[in-house]
Structure formats: C-alpha cells, structure tokens
Amino acid sequence: MDQLNQAFEFRHACKKFDINKKINDIDMEYILEAARQSPSSFGVEPWHFVVVSNDKIKKQLRAICYDQEQVTSCSHYVVALYRKANNFTLQSDYLRRTIARTLPNPEDKTAIDIACQSFINFCKHGLADGLTLNHWSEMQIYIASANMMTAAAFKGIDSCAIGGFESDKVIKIFENTIPQFSGQVFGVGLCIAFGYRADEPSSPHIRWPLTDMTTYLPNDK
C-alpha cells in the first residue's frame, strides 16, 4: 500500500484526543498549506481558517458545539469559514483583488470590471437550481477541509470533522476576540479538530465497495 492510501486508512473520525500531545507549529502549517493549495471554483478561494489552540476559547466553542469532547481534547481546533455573497459584487474589494491577480495587467480597472462581471453573470445564471451564492461558497471549503484531514493523516495526525455547532454563536465569539472580524463577511461552514488519538479505533472503515459506487460509461466504438 502506498503512502497516500496508508493515510486514507489511518484517518478516522477521532472522538477522543490525547490532551497531553500537541501538534508542533511545522506540522500545523503543513496541514494548513494543504488548504491553501486546494482548488476552488474560478480560483476565488472563498475561505478563511481560524486556528484555535487557546484552551479557554476551545471551552467556549465546546459549549456551542453541542458539548462534543473532541473540541477541548484536541490540540488545534480549526474553524473553516466561507465568504458570503457580499464578497462577490462588482465593487467588492475581495473579488476585485482576486480577479486582478489573474490578469496580465493587475492594474487594468476595465479588465477587472469585465472579468468580475463575467463571474457575477455566472453566479446569477450558471449555478444549479436552488443553489445560492452563499451555498456555492460554503461548498468550496469542503474541498480544502478534506485536503487538510488527508495531509494530517499523512503526518500521523488525527482529525474529526464537526458539522454540529451553533453558527451565530461561533461568529459572536470571533467578533469578540478577532479585531475587524465580521459575521457580515463570513459564515461558518465546518469545524475540524486535529490532534493525536487517545485510543485506537474500535472498528475498521465501513465503505461501499468501488463496484457499488462507480459507473463507467462505454467508450465510443
């Protein structure tokens, strides 16, 4: 088995971390770099990651994450934020800077206007039925989050994705602790606990066989 598949086999939803083992700074940056290198639709990278290692703040987060033990027992708790729709208007500083970096002349305001409008037109007419821009943005963070968990497993570091939280209260904690942070700009998409397992998993992965989840269309003859 190659190293990548070993990482897939190693990874599991760790419910209890060893509180005495901490991830070092180099390994944590390695995990976050996997998020930074992740692909996103149109390359707009509509995400931001808040890394929490402060025990006091983790305790506050645990209370609004339905008292899940891994929030406080983990080494680092990463909250994956998505950018809300107001980041993607014609005059949005974030969208304009994001688009500008892809252009031959990043100072060409007319070219930026045209490229931004093209993106906005897609968002208005090209998204799947019922999919809002906020939902589209939130979907992107799952790509980066999965890559972080795989990168962690590659390093022998455990993780647990947590989707159970009171979003408004998470935002309120960040507004009280991070200067200039605003819930008008960001929404909470996913939380991930990282650390080292206290116990070995009690059962192997349960997955459908590849033949049950894959369909190959016939090649042209």
Coordinates of all heavy atoms in Angstrom, one line a residue, residues 128-213:
A128 N -26.5 25.8 -10.1 CA -27.6 24.8 -10.1 C -28.8 25.4 -9.5 O -28.8 26.3 -8.7 CB -27.1 23.5 -9.4
D129 N -30.0 24.8 -9.9 CA -31.3 25.2 -9.4 C -31.3 25.2 -7.9 O -31.0 24.2 -7.3 CB -32.4 24.3 -10.0 CG -33.4 25.0 -10.8 OD1 -33.2 26.2 -11.1 OD2 -34.4 24.4 -11.1
G130 N -31.7 26.3 -7.3 CA -31.8 26.4 -5.9 C -30.5 26.7 -5.1 O -30.5 26.8 -3.9
L131 N -29.4 26.7 -5.8 CA -28.1 26.9 -5.2 C -27.8 28.4 -5.1 O -27.7 29.1 -6.1 CB -27.0 26.2 -5.9 CG -25.6 26.2 -5.3 CD1 -25.6 25.4 -4.0 CD2 -24.6 25.7 -6.3
T132 N -27.7 28.9 -3.8 CA -27.4 30.3 -3.7 C -25.9 30.5 -3.7 O -25.1 29.6 -3.6 CB -27.9 30.8 -2.3 OG1 -27.2 30.2 -1.2 CG2 -29.4 30.5 -2.2
L133 N -25.5 31.8 -3.8 CA -24.0 32.1 -3.8 C -23.4 31.7 -2.5 O -22.3 31.3 -2.4 CB -23.8 33.6 -4.2 CG -22.4 34.1 -4.4 CD1 -21.7 33.2 -5.5 CD2 -22.4 35.5 -4.9
N134 N -24.1 31.9 -1.4 CA -23.6 31.5 -0.1 C -23.4 30.0 0.0 O -22.3 29.6 0.5 CB -24.6 31.9 1.0 CG -24.4 33.4 1.5 OD1 -23.5 34.1 1.1 ND2 -25.4 33.8 2.3
H135 N -24.3 29.2 -0.5 CA -24.1 27.8 -0.5 C -23.0 27.4 -1.4 O -22.2 26.5 -1.1 CB -25.4 27.1 -1.0 CG -26.5 27.2 0.0 ND1 -27.9 27.3 -0.3 CD2 -26.5 27.3 1.4 CE1 -28.6 27.4 0.8 NE2 -27.8 27.4 1.8
W136 N -22.9 28.0 -2.6 CA -21.8 27.7 -3.5 C -20.4 28.0 -2.8 O -19.5 27.2 -2.9 CB -21.9 28.6 -4.8 CG -20.7 28.6 -5.6 CD1 -20.3 27.8 -6.6 CD2 -19.6 29.6 -5.5 NE1 -19.1 28.1 -7.1 CE2 -18.6 29.2 -6.5 CE3 -19.3 30.7 -4.7 CZ2 -17.4 30.0 -6.6 CZ3 -18.1 31.4 -4.8 CH2 -17.2 31.0 -5.8
S137 N -20.3 29.1 -2.1 CA -19.1 29.4 -1.4 C -18.8 28.4 -0.3 O -17.7 28.0 -0.1 CB -19.2 30.9 -0.8 OG -18.1 31.3 -0.1
E138 N -19.9 28.1 0.5 CA -19.7 27.1 1.6 C -19.2 25.7 1.0 O -18.4 25.1 1.7 CB -21.0 26.9 2.3 CG -20.9 26.0 3.5 CD -22.2 25.9 4.3 OE1 -23.2 26.5 3.8 OE2 -22.2 25.3 5.3
M139 N -19.7 25.3 -0.1 CA -19.3 24.0 -0.7 C -17.8 24.0 -1.0 O -17.2 22.9 -0.9 CB -20.1 23.8 -2.0 CG -21.5 23.4 -1.8 SD -22.5 23.5 -3.4 CE -21.6 22.4 -4.4
Q140 N -17.2 25.1 -1.3 CA -15.8 25.1 -1.6 C -14.9 24.7 -0.5 O -13.8 24.1 -0.6 CB -15.3 26.5 -2.2 CG -16.2 27.1 -3.3 CD -16.3 26.2 -4.5 OE1 -15.3 25.7 -5.0 NE2 -17.5 25.9 -4.9
I141 N -15.3 25.1 0.8 CA -14.5 24.9 1.9 C -14.3 23.4 2.2 O -13.4 23.0 2.9 CB -14.9 25.6 3.2 CG1 -16.2 25.1 3.7 CG2 -14.9 27.1 2.9 CD1 -16.6 25.7 5.0
Y142 N -15.3 22.6 1.7 CA -15.2 21.1 2.0 C -14.0 20.5 1.2 O -13.4 19.5 1.7 CB -16.5 20.5 1.6 CG -17.6 20.6 2.7 CD1 -18.3 21.8 2.8 CD2 -17.8 19.7 3.7 CE1 -19.3 22.0 3.8 CE2 -18.7 19.8 4.7 CZ -19.5 21.0 4.7 OH -20.4 21.2 5.7
I143 N -13.7 21.1 0.1 CA -12.5 20.6 -0.7 C -11.3 20.8 0.1 O -10.5 19.9 0.3 CB -12.4 21.3 -2.0 CG1 -13.7 21.1 -2.9 CG2 -11.2 20.8 -2.8 CD1 -13.8 22.0 -4.1
A144 N -11.1 22.1 0.6 CA -9.9 22.4 1.4 C -9.9 21.6 2.7 O -8.8 21.2 3.2 CB -9.8 23.9 1.7
S145 N -11.0 21.4 3.3 CA -11.1 20.7 4.6 C -10.7 19.3 4.5 O -9.9 18.7 5.3 CB -12.5 20.9 5.2 OG -12.8 22.2 5.5
A146 N -11.2 18.6 3.4 CA -10.8 17.2 3.2 C -9.3 17.1 2.9 O -8.7 16.2 3.4 CB -11.6 16.7 1.9
N147 N -8.7 18.1 2.2 CA -7.3 18.0 1.9 C -6.5 18.2 3.2 O -5.5 17.6 3.4 CB -6.9 19.1 0.9 CG -7.2 18.7 -0.5 OD1 -7.5 17.5 -0.8 ND2 -7.2 19.6 -1.4
M148 N -7.0 19.0 4.1 CA -6.3 19.2 5.4 C -6.3 17.9 6.2 O -5.3 17.5 6.8 CB -7.0 20.3 6.2 CG -6.6 21.7 5.8 SD -7.0 23.0 7.0 CE -8.8 23.0 6.9
M149 N -7.5 17.2 6.2 CA -7.5 16.0 7.0 C -6.6 14.9 6.4 O -6.0 14.1 7.2 CB -9.0 15.5 7.1 CG -9.8 16.4 8.0 SD -11.5 15.8 8.3 CE -12.3 16.2 6.7
T150 N -6.5 14.8 5.1 CA -5.6 13.9 4.5 C -4.2 14.2 4.8 O -3.4 13.3 5.1 CB -5.9 13.8 3.0 OG1 -7.2 13.4 2.7 CG2 -5.0 12.8 2.3
A151 N -3.9 15.5 4.7 CA -2.5 15.9 5.0 C -2.1 15.6 6.4 O -1.0 15.2 6.7 CB -2.3 17.4 4.7
A152 N -3.1 15.8 7.3 CA -2.8 15.4 8.7 C -2.6 14.0 8.9 O -1.6 13.5 9.5 CB -4.0 15.9 9.6
A153 N -3.4 13.1 8.2 CA -3.2 11.7 8.3 C -1.9 11.3 7.8 O -1.3 10.3 8.3 CB -4.4 11.0 7.6
F154 N -1.4 11.9 6.7 CA -0.1 11.6 6.1 C 1.0 11.8 7.1 O 2.0 11.1 7.1 CB 0.1 12.5 4.9 CG 1.2 12.2 4.0 CD1 1.1 11.2 3.1 CD2 2.4 12.9 4.2 CE1 2.2 10.9 2.3 CE2 3.5 12.5 3.4 CZ 3.4 11.5 2.4
K155 N 0.8 12.8 8.1 CA 1.7 13.1 9.1 C 1.5 12.3 10.4 O 2.2 12.5 11.4 CB 1.7 14.5 9.4 CG 2.3 15.5 8.4 CD 3.8 15.4 8.4 CE 4.5 16.4 7.6 NZ 5.9 16.4 7.6
G156 N 0.5 11.4 10.4 CA 0.2 10.6 11.5 C -0.6 11.4 12.6 O -0.6 11.1 13.8
I157 N -1.3 12.4 12.1 CA -2.1 13.3 13.0 C -3.6 13.0 12.7 O -4.0 12.9 11.6 CB -1.8 14.8 12.7 CG1 -0.3 15.1 13.1 CG2 -2.7 15.7 13.5 CD1 0.2 16.4 12.6
D158 N -4.3 12.9 13.8 CA -5.8 12.6 13.7 C -6.6 13.8 13.5 O -6.2 14.9 13.8 CB -6.2 11.8 15.0 CG -5.6 10.4 15.0 OD1 -6.0 9.6 14.2 OD2 -4.7 10.2 15.8
S159 N -7.9 13.6 13.1 CA -8.8 14.7 12.9 C -10.2 14.2 13.1 O -10.5 13.0 13.1 CB -8.6 15.2 11.5 OG -8.9 14.3 10.5
C160 N -11.1 15.2 13.2 CA -12.5 14.9 13.3 C -13.3 16.1 12.7 O -13.2 17.2 13.3 CB -13.0 14.6 14.7 SG -14.7 14.1 14.8
A161 N -14.0 15.9 11.6 CA -14.8 17.0 11.1 C -16.1 17.1 11.9 O -16.7 16.1 12.2 CB -15.1 16.7 9.6
I162 N -16.4 18.3 12.3 CA -17.6 18.6 13.1 C -18.5 19.5 12.4 O -18.2 20.7 12.1 CB -17.1 19.1 14.5 CG1 -16.3 18.1 15.2 CG2 -18.3 19.6 15.3 CD1 -15.7 18.5 16.5
G163 N -19.7 19.1 12.1 CA -20.7 19.9 11.5 C -21.8 20.4 12.4 O -22.7 21.1 12.0
G164 N -21.7 19.9 13.7 CA -22.7 20.3 14.7 C -22.2 21.5 15.5 O -21.4 21.3 16.4
F165 N -22.8 22.7 15.2 CA -22.4 23.9 16.0 C -23.5 24.9 15.8 O -24.3 24.9 14.9 CB -21.0 24.4 15.5 CG -20.9 24.5 14.0 CD1 -21.5 25.6 13.4 CD2 -20.3 23.6 13.3 CE1 -21.4 25.7 12.0 CE2 -20.2 23.6 11.9 CZ -20.7 24.7 11.3
E166 N -23.5 25.9 16.7 CA -24.4 27.0 16.7 C -23.7 28.1 16.0 O -22.9 28.9 16.6 CB -24.9 27.4 18.0 CG -25.7 26.3 18.7 CD -26.2 26.7 20.1 OE1 -27.1 27.6 20.2 OE2 -25.6 26.2 21.1
S167 N -23.9 28.3 14.7 CA -23.1 29.1 13.8 C -23.1 30.6 14.3 O -22.0 31.2 14.4 CB -23.7 29.1 12.4 OG -23.0 30.0 11.6
D168 N -24.2 31.1 14.7 CA -24.3 32.5 15.1 C -23.4 32.8 16.4 O -22.8 33.8 16.5 CB -25.7 33.0 15.4 CG -26.6 33.0 14.2 OD1 -26.0 33.0 13.1 OD2 -27.8 33.1 14.3
K169 N -23.4 31.8 17.3 CA -22.6 31.9 18.5 C -21.1 31.8 18.2 O -20.3 32.4 18.9 CB -23.1 30.9 19.5 CG -24.5 31.2 20.0 CD -25.0 30.2 21.1 CE -26.5 30.6 21.5 NZ -27.0 29.6 22.5
V170 N -20.8 30.9 17.3 CA -19.4 30.8 16.9 C -18.9 32.2 16.3 O -17.8 32.7 16.7 CB -19.1 29.7 15.8 CG1 -17.7 29.7 15.3 CG2 -19.5 28.4 16.4
I171 N -19.7 32.8 15.5 CA -19.4 34.1 14.9 C -19.3 35.1 16.0 O -18.3 36.0 16.0 CB -20.5 34.5 13.9 CG1 -20.5 33.7 12.6 CG2 -20.4 36.0 13.5 CD1 -19.2 33.8 11.8
K172 N -20.1 35.1 17.0 CA -20.1 36.1 18.1 C -18.8 36.0 18.9 O -18.2 37.0 19.2 CB -21.3 35.9 19.0 CG -21.4 36.9 20.1 CD -21.5 38.3 19.6 CE -22.8 38.5 18.9 NZ -23.0 39.9 18.4
I173 N -18.3 34.7 19.1 CA -17.0 34.5 19.8 C -15.9 35.2 19.0 O -15.0 35.9 19.5 CB -16.8 33.0 20.0 CG1 -17.7 32.5 21.1 CG2 -15.3 32.8 20.4 CD1 -17.6 31.0 21.3
F174 N -15.9 35.0 17.7 CA -14.8 35.5 16.8 C -14.9 37.0 16.8 O -13.9 37.7 16.7 CB -14.9 34.9 15.4 CG -14.5 33.4 15.4 CD1 -14.8 32.6 14.3 CD2 -13.8 32.9 16.4 CE1 -14.5 31.3 14.3 CE2 -13.4 31.5 16.4 CZ -13.8 30.7 15.3
E175 N -16.1 37.6 16.7 CA -16.3 39.0 16.7 C -15.8 39.6 18.0 O -15.3 40.8 18.0 CB -17.7 39.4 16.5 CG -18.2 39.2 15.1 CD -19.7 39.5 14.8 OE1 -20.5 39.5 15.8 OE2 -20.0 39.9 13.7
N176 N -15.8 38.9 19.1 CA -15.3 39.4 20.4 C -13.8 39.2 20.6 O -13.3 39.8 21.5 CB -16.1 38.7 21.5 CG -17.5 39.2 21.6 OD1 -17.9 40.2 21.1 ND2 -18.4 38.3 22.2
T177 N -13.2 38.3 19.8 CA -11.8 38.0 20.0 C -10.9 38.4 18.9 O -9.7 38.5 19.0 CB -11.6 36.5 20.3 OG1 -12.2 35.7 19.2 CG2 -12.3 36.1 21.6
I178 N -11.4 38.6 17.6 CA -10.6 38.9 16.5 C -10.9 40.3 16.0 O -12.0 40.6 15.6 CB -10.8 37.9 15.3 CG1 -10.6 36.4 15.8 CG2 -9.9 38.2 14.1 CD1 -11.0 35.4 14.8
P179 N -9.9 41.2 16.0 CA -10.2 42.6 15.5 C -10.6 42.6 14.1 O -10.1 41.8 13.3 CB -8.8 43.2 15.7 CG -8.1 42.5 16.7 CD -8.6 41.0 16.5
Q180 N -11.6 43.4 13.8 CA -12.1 43.6 12.4 C -12.9 42.4 11.9 O -13.3 42.4 10.7 CB -11.0 44.0 11.4 CG -10.5 45.4 11.5 CD -9.4 45.5 12.5 OE1 -8.4 44.7 12.5 NE2 -9.4 46.6 13.3
F181 N -13.1 41.3 12.7 CA -13.8 40.2 12.2 C -15.3 40.5 12.1 O -15.8 41.2 13.0 CB -13.6 39.0 13.1 CG -14.4 37.7 12.6 CD1 -13.8 36.9 11.7 CD2 -15.7 37.5 13.0 CE1 -14.4 35.8 11.2 CE2 -16.4 36.4 12.5 CZ -15.7 35.5 11.6
S182 N -16.0 40.1 11.1 CA -17.4 40.4 10.9 C -18.2 39.2 10.4 O -17.8 38.6 9.4 CB -17.6 41.6 10.0 OG -19.0 41.8 9.7
G183 N -19.3 39.0 11.1 CA -20.2 37.9 10.6 C -20.9 38.3 9.3 O -21.6 37.5 8.7
Q184 N -20.8 39.6 9.0 CA -21.4 40.1 7.7 C -20.6 39.6 6.5 O -21.1 39.5 5.4 CB -21.5 41.6 7.7 CG -22.3 42.2 8.7 CD -23.8 41.8 8.6 OE1 -24.4 41.8 7.6 NE2 -24.4 41.4 9.8
V185 N -19.3 39.3 6.8 CA -18.4 38.9 5.7 C -18.3 37.4 5.6 O -18.2 36.8 4.6 CB -17.0 39.5 6.0 CG1 -16.0 39.0 4.9 CG2 -17.0 41.0 6.0
F186 N -18.3 36.7 6.8 CA -18.0 35.3 6.9 C -19.2 34.5 7.5 O -19.9 35.0 8.4 CB -16.8 35.0 7.7 CG -15.5 35.5 7.1 CD1 -14.8 36.6 7.6 CD2 -14.9 34.8 5.9 CE1 -13.6 37.0 7.0 CE2 -13.7 35.3 5.4 CZ -13.1 36.3 5.9
G187 N -19.3 33.2 7.0 CA -20.2 32.3 7.6 C -19.4 31.1 8.1 O -18.3 30.8 7.5
V188 N -19.9 30.3 9.0 CA -19.2 29.1 9.4 C -19.7 27.9 8.6 O -20.9 27.6 8.6 CB -19.4 28.8 10.9 CG1 -18.6 27.6 11.4 CG2 -19.1 30.1 11.7
G189 N -18.7 27.2 8.0 CA -19.1 26.0 7.2 C -18.8 24.7 7.9 O -19.6 23.7 7.8
L190 N -17.7 24.6 8.5 CA -17.3 23.3 9.1 C -16.2 23.6 10.2 O -15.5 24.6 10.1 CB -16.7 22.4 8.0 CG -16.3 21.0 8.4 CD1 -17.6 20.2 8.6 CD2 -15.5 20.3 7.3
C191 N -16.1 22.7 11.2 CA -15.1 22.8 12.2 C -14.3 21.4 12.1 O -14.9 20.4 11.9 CB -15.6 23.0 13.6 SG -16.6 24.5 13.8
I192 N -13.0 21.5 12.4 CA -12.2 20.3 12.3 C -11.3 20.3 13.5 O -10.5 21.2 13.8 CB -11.3 20.2 11.0 CG1 -12.2 20.5 9.8 CG2 -10.7 18.8 10.9 CD1 -11.3 20.6 8.5
A193 N -11.4 19.2 14.3 CA -10.5 19.0 15.4 C -9.2 18.2 15.0 O -9.4 17.2 14.3 CB -11.2 18.2 16.5
F194 N -8.0 18.7 15.3 CA -6.8 18.0 15.0 C -6.0 17.7 16.3 O -6.0 18.5 17.2 CB -5.9 18.9 14.1 CG -6.5 19.1 12.7 CD1 -7.1 20.3 12.4 CD2 -6.3 18.1 11.7 CE1 -7.6 20.5 11.1 CE2 -6.8 18.3 10.4 CZ -7.4 19.5 10.1
G195 N -5.4 16.5 16.3 CA -4.6 16.1 17.4 C -4.2 14.7 17.3 O -4.0 14.2 16.2
Y196 N -3.9 14.0 18.4 CA -3.4 12.6 18.4 C -4.4 11.8 19.2 O -4.8 12.1 20.3 CB -2.0 12.6 19.0 CG -1.0 13.3 18.2 CD1 -0.7 14.6 18.5 CD2 -0.3 12.7 17.2 CE1 0.3 15.3 17.8 CE2 0.6 13.3 16.4 CZ 0.9 14.7 16.7 OH 1.8 15.3 16.0
R197 N -4.8 10.7 18.7 CA -5.8 9.8 19.3 C -5.4 9.3 20.7 O -4.2 9.0 20.9 CB -6.0 8.6 18.3 CG -4.8 7.7 18.1 CD -5.1 6.6 17.1 NE -5.2 7.2 15.7 CZ -5.4 6.5 14.6 NH1 -5.4 5.2 14.7 NH2 -5.5 7.1 13.5
A198 N -6.4 9.2 21.5 CA -6.1 8.7 22.9 C -6.2 7.1 22.8 O -5.5 6.4 23.6 CB -7.1 9.2 23.8
D199 N -7.0 6.6 21.9 CA -7.2 5.2 21.8 C -7.3 4.8 20.3 O -7.6 5.6 19.4 CB -8.6 4.7 22.4 CG -8.7 5.2 23.9 OD1 -7.8 4.7 24.7 OD2 -9.6 5.9 24.2
E200 N -7.0 3.6 20.0 CA -7.1 3.1 18.6 C -8.6 2.9 18.3 O -9.4 2.6 19.1 CB -6.3 1.7 18.5 CG -4.8 1.9 18.5 CD -4.3 2.8 17.5 OE1 -4.7 2.7 16.3 OE2 -3.4 3.6 17.8
P201 N -8.9 3.2 17.0 CA -10.3 3.0 16.6 C -10.8 1.6 16.9 O -10.1 0.6 16.7 CB -10.3 3.3 15.1 CG -8.9 3.4 14.7 CD -8.1 3.6 15.9
S202 N -12.1 1.4 17.3 CA -12.6 0.1 17.6 C -13.0 -0.7 16.4 O -13.2 -1.9 16.6 CB -13.8 0.3 18.6 OG -14.8 1.1 18.0
S203 N -13.2 -0.1 15.3 CA -13.6 -0.8 14.1 C -13.0 -0.2 12.8 O -12.7 1.0 12.8 CB -15.2 -0.8 14.0 OG -15.6 0.6 13.9
P204 N -12.9 -1.0 11.8 CA -12.3 -0.5 10.6 C -13.3 0.4 9.8 O -14.5 0.4 10.2 CB -12.0 -1.8 9.8 CG -13.0 -2.8 10.3 CD -13.2 -2.5 11.7
H205 N -12.8 1.0 8.8 CA -13.7 1.8 8.0 C -14.8 1.0 7.4 O -14.6 -0.2 7.0 CB -12.9 2.5 6.8 CG -12.0 3.5 7.2 ND1 -11.0 4.0 6.4 CD2 -11.9 4.3 8.3 CE1 -10.3 4.9 7.0 NE2 -10.8 5.1 8.2
I206 N -16.0 1.5 7.3 CA -17.1 0.8 6.7 C -17.4 1.6 5.4 O -17.8 2.8 5.5 CB -18.4 0.8 7.6 CG1 -18.1 0.0 8.8 CG2 -19.5 0.1 6.8 CD1 -19.2 0.0 9.8
R207 N -17.2 1.0 4.3 CA -17.4 1.7 3.0 C -18.0 0.8 2.0 O -17.8 -0.4 2.0 CB -16.0 2.2 2.4 CG -15.2 3.2 3.3 CD -15.9 4.5 3.3 NE -15.1 5.6 3.9 CZ -15.1 5.8 5.3 NH1 -15.9 5.1 6.0 NH2 -14.4 6.7 5.8
W208 N -18.8 1.4 1.1 CA -19.3 0.6 0.0 C -18.2 0.2 -0.9 O -17.2 0.9 -1.1 CB -20.3 1.4 -0.9 CG -21.6 1.7 -0.1 CD1 -22.0 3.0 0.2 CD2 -22.6 0.8 0.3 NE1 -23.2 2.9 0.9 CE2 -23.6 1.6 0.9 CE3 -22.8 -0.5 0.2 CZ2 -24.8 1.1 1.4 CZ3 -24.0 -1.1 0.8 CH2 -24.9 -0.3 1.4
P209 N -18.3 -1.0 -1.5 CA -17.2 -1.4 -2.5 C -17.3 -0.5 -3.7 O -18.3 0.1 -4.1 CB -17.6 -2.9 -2.9 CG -19.0 -3.0 -2.5 CD -19.3 -2.1 -1.4
L210 N -16.1 -0.4 -4.4 CA -16.0 0.5 -5.5 C -17.0 0.2 -6.6 O -17.5 1.1 -7.3 CB -14.5 0.4 -6.1 CG -14.1 1.5 -7.0 CD1 -14.2 2.9 -6.4 CD2 -12.7 1.3 -7.5
T211 N -17.3 -1.1 -6.8 CA -18.2 -1.5 -7.8 C -19.6 -1.0 -7.6 O -20.4 -0.8 -8.5 CB -18.2 -3.1 -8.0 OG1 -18.5 -3.6 -6.7 CG2 -16.9 -3.6 -8.5
D212 N -20.0 -0.8 -6.3 CA -21.3 -0.3 -6.0 C -21.5 1.2 -6.1 O -22.6 1.7 -6.2 CB -21.7 -0.7 -4.5 CG -22.0 -2.1 -4.4 OD1 -21.8 -2.9 -5.4 OD2 -22.4 -2.5 -3.3
M213 N -20.3 1.9 -6.2 CA -20.4 3.4 -6.2 C -19.8 4.0 -7.5 O -19.7 5.2 -7.6 CB -19.7 4.0 -5.0 CG -18.2 3.5 -4.9 SD -17.3 4.4 -3.6 CE -17.1 6.0 -4.3

